[in-house]
Amino acid sequence: MAAARAKAVQRSLQVIKMLAETTGSTGKQLRREVAEIVFTVSNIRAVLRHAPAAHVGLRRLGAEVLTRLAMDADARERIGGTGGVVALLLDMFLRPGGGSSDEDADAARVEAGEALAMLALESPRNCERILRGGGGSSSLATTSTTTTTTTVDSLVDALGDAAIGVEAGRILTNLCAYTGGSSEWFPQLRRATRGAATVLRDVAATVNESKPLEVSLGLAAQLVRLMGPHELAHHLVSAGVTEADLVSRLVSVLATYACPSIKAPRIRRFTVELVVALLRTPPARERWLIAEAMAAAGMGAELRRVAETTSELECFHVFSGSAGVSRHAVGLAALVDTALELMGTTVAGADRAPRVSVTTTDKCACV
């Protein structure tokens, strides 16, 4: 690519990015109009596909533009439905190197991950496209990103990558949350639980910064939902974390974030979602032990404090400036009510359950 042409492409992408970053209702309208231009997404696809390694910055800019355009739900579907875009972003995200420096390459990978996470947000079709490795072929795509199973496995492996671990967590969280109820995808999504020990360990770590912790909490909540009987206990052992440690950490997070956080606006929501998931995990005995630990650690009081301090800040997935763009389907207050109800029901149910003792005649009797 000639230097003059590369410069022209760079300036064009910068202009589109500037328009797509506009905040408020004006930005919403601009993003919609830019995405509706029939050449926009296909030309960005050409940049992702053909920009040489020496111009990795162009690919990064292209991914940034897609991320910002995808804040609009209609544009999200339009981008995902443009052949090869998802596959190119996956390849860009999962393939290390490919830039003039490691720093440039990692920055491009991060932006590709942000774009994929945004495309998967509340979009079952885009989730399926990602699970299929983009649903098409790409001259850049490798075999590691062309099948459902290996795409999920690659994302799980990427959780341990310091450069892109947070973005991999976001993508997996959205895939688990928004793929839909089709049994076709459940076995593939279940493979994401391979990373549960890593995620639970990250949740329990007390030195986590707010943003990585927010992502770990969100992914942990989704992974616990996918677990079968006794699977949670197995992953906790692998992580070197006890139920009491995990519960104590969740109580600590809610106490630390007694008010909504601008830096991590979803951290309390994800914590409550994880509480709900833990209180629904099979079998009943594990639920009871967790509920007892929560009651002893003061989870009820922290949950009630959350209910009293909820804010509009916690009602949206993403923001355009100070304006929320995509509202959560379930409010945080409703999640808190569910968590408190599950805690009370589980503990009360255990108290009412008959205790079994063995008599000298080896017969079971209820006492």
Side-chain angles (χ1 to χ4, degrees):
M1 181 180 288
R5 185 179 179 187
K7 192 68 174 178
V9 172
Q10 180 183 18
R11 287 176 177 171
S12 298
L13 288 171
Q14 287 171 338
V15 170
I16 298 174
K17 179 185 171 185
M18 180 182 66
L19 294 173
E21 285 179 335
T22 305
T23 60
S25 57
T26 302
K28 183 177 181 180
Q29 184 63 29
L30 282 172
R31 283 189 291 274
R32 185 164 298 174
E33 291 183 6
V34 169
E36 286 176 352
I37 297 173
V38 295
F39 300 109
T40 300
V41 179
S42 58
N43 284 350
I44 293 174
R45 176 185 60 190
V47 172
L48 297 180
R49 177 172 286 155
H50 299 299
H55 295 287
V56 69
L58 294 180
R59 300 179 74 195
R60 176 184 176 181
L61 264 175
E64 287 178 332
V65 171
L66 292 178
T67 302
R68 284 147 183 80
L69 292 178
M71 291 171 66
D72 178 78
D74 292 336
R76 203 176 297 153
E77 298 301 327
R78 189 173 290 110
I79 293 167
T82 301
V85 170
V86 170
L88 286 162
L89 288 170
L90 271 171
D91 180 79
M92 184 175 165
F93 179 65
L94 294 172
R95 178 185 292 186
S100 55
S101 71
D102 289 342
E103 185 176 344
D104 291 339
D106 287 344
R109 295 175 73 197
V110 167
E111 291 302 333
E114 293 284 353
L116 287 165
M118 186 64 73
L119 288 173
L121 180 65
E122 296 186 313
S123 175
R125 288 183 179 180
N126 282 343
C127 287
E128 291 181 10
R129 290 173 180 128
I130 293 172
L131 288 170
R132 289 193 180 103
S137 61
S138 163
S139 61
L140 293 174
T142 63
T143 55
S144 66
T145 59
T146 55
T147 64
T148 301
T149 301
T150 53
T151 297
V152 173
D153 288 338
S154 296
L155 289 170
V156 171
D157 293 340
L159 291 172
D161 189 321
I164 60 170
V166 169
E167 286 68 34
R170 284 185 177 135
I171 297 168
L172 282 169
T173 298
N174 287 347
L175 289 177
C176 294
Y178 303 117
T179 296
S182 172
S183 58
E184 175 187 358
W185 300 110
F186 184 75
Q188 287 81 4
L189 290 173
R190 277 263 303 153
R191 296 183 66 83
T193 59
R194 286 196 310 111
T198 299
V199 175
L200 290 169
R201 193 180 302 117
D202 289 342
V203 168
T206 58
V207 295
N208 262 352
E209 298 178 9
S210 58
K211 188 56 69 174
L213 176 59
E214 179 186 60
V215 173
S216 295
L217 286 164
L219 180 53
Q222 296 301 325
L223 295 183
V224 170
R225 288 175 53 245
L226 295 172
M227 292 179 188
H230 306 293
E231 200 171 346
L232 174 62
H234 168 74
H235 289 301
L236 285 171
V237 170
S238 299
V241 179
T242 66
E243 286 92 343
D245 292 337
L246 179 59
V247 168
S248 176
R249 177 58 170 154
L250 297 182
V251 171
S252 173
V253 170
L254 293 180
T256 301
Y257 295 91
C259 295
S261 168
I262 295 176
K263 291 184 178 180
R266 294 187 291 175
I267 195 165
R268 300 202 306 174
R269 165 178 286 275
F270 286 157
T271 303
V272 177
E273 286 183 357
L274 180 52
V275 169
V276 170
L278 290 170
L279 291 170
R280 285 175 170 165
T281 187
R285 176 166 174 75
E286 280 191 27
R287 289 198 300 272
W288 175 75
L289 290 173
I290 291 171
E292 284 280 284
M294 287 181 179
M299 178 66 78
E302 293 301 334
L303 288 171
R304 283 186 283 273
R305 182 189 299 179
V306 170
E308 293 170 358
T309 57
T310 56
S311 162
E312 277 288 287
L313 179 67
E314 299 172 295
C315 294
F316 294 92
H317 292 284
V318 291
F319 298 87
S320 175
S322 59
V325 174
S326 180
R327 183 178 285 272
H328 287 283
V330 179
L332 180 54
L335 279 176
V336 170
D337 289 342
T338 300
L340 288 170
E341 182 180 351
L342 287 171
M343 274 185 64
T345 302
T346 303
V347 174
D351 290 340
R352 290 194 300 269
R355 291 170 294 158
V356 177
S357 64
V358 180
T359 66
T360 54
T361 57
D362 292 329
K363 294 181 180 179
C364 292
C366 293
V367 296

